Amino acid sequence: DIMMTQSPDSLAVSLGERATINCKSSQSVLHSSNNKNYLAWYQQKPGQPPNLLIYWASTRKSGVPDRFSGSGSETDFTLTISSLQAEDVAVYYCQQYYGFQWTFGQGTKVEIK
Amino acid sequence: DVQLVESGGGLVQPGGSLRLSCAASGFTFSNYWMSWVRLAPGRGLEWVANIKEDESERWYLDSVKGRFTISRDNSKNSLYLQMNSLRGEDTALYYCARHNFASPLEYWGQGTLLTVSS
């Protein structure tokens, strides 16, 4: 199984400041056949289902604000919120969909400082 | 609009069984893979199982293999999760989600709560 480890577990950022979440996979999720990283990011607010933000490591889903961006390749990935807004308070998860058994990171809780 | 509505959750004793359902609407159900994902207290999200459009492929989390069975009825636009030999660690909010082959979970339902306790 591919293990996903996020850091930090939680972070508090001032409004308008940058938030950075890291995600590391135990093996590469870069598929050689198409040069795509099978890595997604989700946002989950209290009482709501998860919401897909980023897929293929860096492609923003339609409708997601451009302050959210994803980067990285193979085993190391980052989700950046360039200017934190109050509505961004949530738990963020990375997920690999490389193999047939999918795994999530443990989640990172983002709060306002 | 895509809609996924889970049902069937409840309180079950350890060792018991339950079947979850997910009713899909707003899209051609038979054209998509479907997954079950759970959110356990203090444990984050965990993918449980997924199923191909025609049921010819099914994949499971190791800890549920042999106990859970994912299935679908394309004529009823419905997804199911039969859960047997339930354990306390299966307690969670269970979501169904739509996706394409080897693609992220694009649409999610609101979830149905399973509690396994004596």
Side-chain angles (χ1 to χ4, degrees):
Chain A
D1 289 3
I2 300 176
M3 288 188 58
M4 309 299 290
T5 304
Q6 291 180 227
S7 61
D9 289 336
S10 64
L11 75 161
V13 176
S14 300
L15 288 171
E17 295 300 304
R18 179 184 300 260
T20 301
I21 301 169
N22 299 302
C23 174
K24 191 173 185 67
S25 58
S26 60
Q27 66 185 70
S28 175
V29 298
L30 176 64
H31 213 293
S32 56
S33 66
N34 56 12
N35 205 38
K36 286 186 174 182
N37 288 284
Y38 284 56
L39 189 286
W41 290 95
Y42 300 85
Q43 174 194 63
Q44 187 169 29
K45 298 180 180 179
Q48 296 184 19
N51 179 42
L52 176 65
L53 296 176
I54 303 279
Y55 56 98
W56 305 130
S58 60
T59 301
R60 199 179 304 115
K61 183 183 174 183
S62 175
V64 172
D66 61 6
R67 63 180 180 274
F68 291 93
S69 64
S71 62
S73 185
E74 296 192 55
T75 61
D76 290 279
F77 301 91
T78 300
L79 175 70
T80 302
I81 309 172
S82 61
S83 175
L84 191 74
Q85 304 300 304
E87 61 265 31
D88 301 334
V89 169
V91 179
Y92 293 83
Y93 295 92
C94 62
Q95 179 233 343
Q96 64 80 17
Y97 47 99
Y98 181 87
F100 288 106
Q101 290 183 309
W102 295 353
T103 44
F104 289 86
Q106 79 276 19
T108 296
K109 187 174 185 179
V110 173
E111 299 172 308
I112 306 295
K113 185 188 291 183
Chain B
D1 283 4
V2 173
Q3 277 210 314
L4 298 168
V5 180
E6 302 92 338
S7 61
L11 174 62
V12 180
Q13 291 191 336
S17 298
L18 204 66
R19 188 177 85 154
L20 305 183
S21 299
C22 170
S25 61
F27 65 99
T28 304
F29 181 71
S30 58
N31 286 353
Y32 291 90
W33 282 68
M34 296 294 295
S35 277
W36 286 100
V37 177
R38 64 189 181 187
L39 178 66
R43 284 179 30 205
L45 293 171
E46 186 172 51
W47 169 83
V48 174
N50 62 20
I51 186 168
K52 194 176 177 180
E53 299 96 333
D54 61 1
E55 294 194 280
S56 61
E57 291 185 41
R58 308 173 202 221
W59 299 90
Y60 295 94
L61 177 68
D62 283 348
S63 64
V64 308
K65 272 183 197 172
R67 300 189 300 122
F68 288 13
T69 302
I70 189 171
S71 64
R72 62 193 296 163
D73 185 337
N74 289 340
S75 69
K76 295 182 178 178
N77 292 335
S78 292
L79 175 72
Y80 305 103
L81 186 67
Q82 177 66 43
M83 304 181 293
N84 300 328
S85 303
L86 283 163
R87 306 167 180 168
E89 55 264 36
D90 296 318
T91 294
L93 184 61
Y94 284 75
Y95 298 102
C96 65
R98 188 195 94 171
H99 57 99
N100 289 301
F101 172 69
S103 291
L105 300 151
E106 191 179 12
Y107 290 96
W108 299 63
Q110 292 295 316
T112 187
L113 182 62
L114 167 69
T115 303
V116 182
S117 175
S118 54

